[in-house]
Amino acid sequence: MLRGTAPAKINLGLNILRKRTDGFHDLNTVFHPIGWGDRISATVSETVSMTCTDSSLSCGDDNLVIQAAKCLQELTGVNQGAVIHLEKELPHGAGLGGGSSDAATTLQLLSQLWKLESSISLDSIALMLGSDVPFFLNKTTAYGEGRGELLTPLNDYRFPFSLAVIVHPIHISTALAFQQISPQETNQFNLIETVKSNDLERWSKELVNDFESPIFSQWPLLLETKALLLNCGAGYASMSGSGSAIYGVFESYKDAQMVIQEEAFRGCATWCETSIEDTSIF
């Protein structure tokens, strides 16, 4: 049996630039992996099948995990299958990339399990499954362009803050969110320079998620959650992806942990992680 972790991501800025002739949108963003994630295990079998700890999720062909397994199987001609088990921790429909991360981790696990040649490129297979799936193959902070698949790893970037993530039980369709966007190519800041500055005041001025305006107009609770994080000490707060996850960036882990505890008590899914440089927790 092989096991792997499928981490979530947050978007540090997300600009929707234009609609493309293929129906997708050009965008730019910085993807940043976080410690919250699902766990996946796989064992060899005659056919491809899946089990999941979340009974609300389908384990059929509409699940990206199954799609990833069958796509890899077909494109490589492998004559083995696998039983895949997904321990689901990440809320779905939250803009954290959980399904995409599950798919990427499945590709990597099955590539090892089936002893496929190292020369096989998983990137092209990942892109068939979703625009942000290639990012999760490397799981390192990266600048994304195009549909999000053109990646520039920011290997020297360090995220020195504590993080609080709050997810209300609101599932938002990415496709519907894109339909409400008015692309804007002008007045864009250099996301890489802004993110690397680690200046939270600058982040508040220059790191914008273009999905926030239309999504917040439909779900005012999400706007209230962003305001709550800022009022509780976050130096920067934003929605991740097309929502509904809202995250706050804190210089104090204790402040981040306090707001998370309150929101968890109210029934939200939450995550909190600290920077190793924050000595306030010791």
Side-chain angles (χ1 to χ4, degrees):
M1 178 183 290
L2 293 179
R3 295 182 175 87
T5 300
K9 58 81 179 170
I10 57 173
N11 295 86
L12 301 175
L14 177 52
N15 305 132
I16 311 301
L17 306 178
R18 65 190 72 85
K19 188 168 184 179
R20 298 155 40 136
T21 56
D22 60 6
F24 292 97
H25 288 76
D26 279 324
L27 57 84
N28 58 34
T29 188
V30 170
F31 297 109
H32 180 67
I34 64 175
W36 200 6
D38 297 331
R39 291 180 295 277
I40 300 176
S41 60
T43 55
V44 172
S45 179
E46 293 183 357
T47 60
V48 170
S49 63
M50 173 186 172
T51 58
C52 182
T53 56
D54 186 341
S55 60
S56 70
L57 288 181
S58 167
C59 289
D61 288 345
D62 53 341
N63 191 296
L64 274 178
V65 167
I66 291 292
Q67 291 176 28
K70 290 189 173 181
C71 190
L72 183 64
Q73 187 183 50
E74 292 171 6
L75 292 176
T76 60
V78 70
N79 58 6
Q80 299 180 85
V83 176
I84 305 161
H85 180 62
L86 171 61
E87 294 181 50
K88 193 67 182 171
E89 298 291 338
L90 296 171
H92 42 95
L96 296 171
S100 295
S101 188
D102 292 342
T105 301
T106 297
L107 289 176
Q108 292 173 319
L109 284 179
L110 295 187
S111 181
Q112 297 176 54
L113 188 71
W114 292 338
K115 296 180 171 57
L116 301 179
E117 294 182 14
S118 58
S119 59
I120 294 174
S121 173
L122 297 181
D123 293 270
S124 58
I125 301 175
L127 185 56
M128 296 177 188
L129 300 167
S131 297
D132 60 351
V133 178
F135 162 73
F136 289 104
L137 291 176
N138 294 313
K139 302 177 178 66
T140 186
T141 306
Y143 176 65
E145 300 174 274
R147 293 164 45 187
E149 86 285 12
L150 303 176
L151 299 167
T152 302
L154 305 183
N155 295 319
D156 59 342
Y157 176 67
R158 177 181 52 83
F159 185 86
F161 306 107
S162 293
L163 184 72
V165 186
I166 298 171
V167 184
H168 291 278
I170 298 172
H171 297 170
I172 297 175
S173 163
T174 300
L176 290 177
F178 268 109
Q179 292 177 14
Q180 301 174 63
I181 284 288
S182 298
Q184 183 177 342
E185 297 187 45
T186 59
N187 301 321
Q188 303 295 337
F189 295 97
N190 186 312
L191 284 187
I192 295 178
E193 290 183 2
T194 301
V195 169
K196 283 188 171 183
S197 75
N198 280 336
D199 181 338
L200 297 185
E201 184 175 348
R202 181 176 176 182
W203 282 21
S204 296
K205 295 176 182 177
E206 299 180 6
L207 291 187
V208 177
N209 182 338
D210 287 344
F211 283 112
E212 284 191 354
S213 181
I215 296 301
F216 285 174
S217 66
Q218 294 183 62
W219 288 280
L221 178 61
L222 302 182
L223 176 60
E224 294 171 10
T225 301
K226 179 178 178 178
L228 171 69
L229 286 164
L230 293 170
N231 289 335
C232 290
Y236 174 76
S238 177
M239 187 169 72
S240 183
S242 56
S244 59
I246 308 292
Y247 68 86
V249 178
F250 291 79
E251 296 195 34
S252 165
Y253 176 69
K254 289 182 178 179
D255 289 343
Q257 191 177 44
M258 187 175 299
V259 67
I260 283 301
Q261 289 173 343
E262 293 177 1
E263 293 307 295
F265 181 75
R266 294 181 178 136
C268 295
T270 61
W271 174 258
C272 189
E273 64 186 42
T274 183
S275 161
I276 59 174
E277 297 181 353
D278 186 355
T279 58
S280 67
I281 64 173
F282 300 111

